[in-house]
Amino acid sequence: RVSCVTAEIRRRTHPGGWRWIIDRGQGVARDAQGRATRMLGIHQDINDRKLAEVALVTSEARLRAVLENSPVGIFWLDTDGRLVNINRALRRGLGVSMGDVADERWVAIVHPEARARVVDAWRLFRQGGEDTLMLEYRGNPPDGRQRTVQVRAVRASVPGVQIGYIGTVEDITDKLESEQERERLQLQVQ
């Protein structure tokens, strides 16, 4: 014996289009065998809600595609500063998996000489210091390549509510080496 039946269905409209409808109903009178002899219910137009759901799913899929396929390393932290996700560019660039840097383990890929400075900067940023965090430091990824990275982060929020932190990590090693080489060559010319 079912007390209430609910179904979301598409119905053809009189002009020939389609609309999403939610049907809700229940038996209000039953015969001796318990079968419903009278039903009471409603049909409610939910087309706008369904279209909004499709738009949201599409928007989220596009955002995931942009983040995952971005050539720049991107990370997301929750409001407690725990890592939520890193994109493919960051995983590849640092030679790490999500598991390698989850929770507070990301600190291990910061070069020991820079670790205290980076941790302090993150702590101050999370406590409400600057609006934007900008750091440059040497990394110490598991593959042993010494890389210099530039990190930029901001607070992520929806109106009135902080939902975490989002940031980028850019490997600037080649850029710094090129600048050093240019300076060296300029000194030779002088």
Side-chain angles (χ1 to χ4, degrees):
R1 178 175 164 169
V2 178
S3 61
C4 185
V5 176
T6 302
E8 292 182 4
I9 58 173
R10 286 187 62 195
R11 288 243 167 115
R12 185 171 285 286
T13 63
H14 184 61
W18 290 91
R19 305 273 312 167
W20 279 97
I21 305 292
I22 188 167
D23 288 332
R24 291 189 179 112
Q26 68 184 54
V28 293
R30 300 192 178 277
D31 63 16
Q33 287 80 34
R35 294 181 296 223
T37 57
R38 288 185 48 199
M39 299 284 293
L40 181 63
I42 63 165
H43 301 292
Q44 182 178 5
D45 185 329
I46 59 169
N47 203 63
D48 291 344
R49 185 192 86 196
K50 284 297 217 180
L51 294 176
E53 288 173 2
V54 168
L56 179 61
V57 168
T58 302
S59 176
E60 287 175 347
R62 281 189 195 124
L63 180 59
R64 266 193 307 279
V66 166
L67 292 175
E68 196 57 26
N69 295 299
S70 171
V72 175
I74 299 172
F75 62 90
W76 182 271
L77 302 168
D78 67 15
T79 54
D80 293 325
R82 289 185 302 263
L83 195 62
V84 174
N85 203 356
I86 58 176
N87 73 344
R88 184 181 312 147
L90 189 51
R91 290 189 303 269
R92 258 196 238 132
L94 295 179
V96 297
S97 70
M98 182 64 187
D100 293 333
V101 292
D103 301 322
E104 296 294 320
R105 286 178 272 177
W106 65 268
V107 173
I109 63 171
V110 176
H111 193 277
E113 293 171 7
R115 202 168 285 158
R117 177 176 60 85
V118 169
V119 169
D120 284 346
W122 268 107
R123 183 181 45 75
L124 289 172
F125 175 64
R126 288 188 49 230
Q127 289 174 348
E130 300 294 322
D131 291 336
T132 302
L133 173 71
M134 290 185 64
L135 287 171
E136 194 174 292
Y137 58 88
R138 283 191 8 226
N140 194 28
D143 64 10
R145 296 178 304 142
Q146 294 292 315
R147 310 301 288 171
T148 301
V149 295
Q150 184 176 61
V151 176
R152 293 184 180 113
V154 295
R155 288 172 187 78
S157 60
V158 295
V161 179
Q162 183 178 336
I163 57 174
Y165 306 89
I166 190 164
T168 60
V169 177
E170 185 178 358
D171 184 340
I172 60 170
T173 306
D174 294 340
K175 176 183 168 189
L176 292 175
E177 289 173 356
S178 294
E179 288 173 1
Q180 290 170 352
E181 179 65 13
R182 184 175 46 86
E183 288 171 8
R184 186 186 66 76
L185 292 172
Q186 284 177 341
L187 287 174
Q188 286 180 350
V189 171
Q190 294 174 355

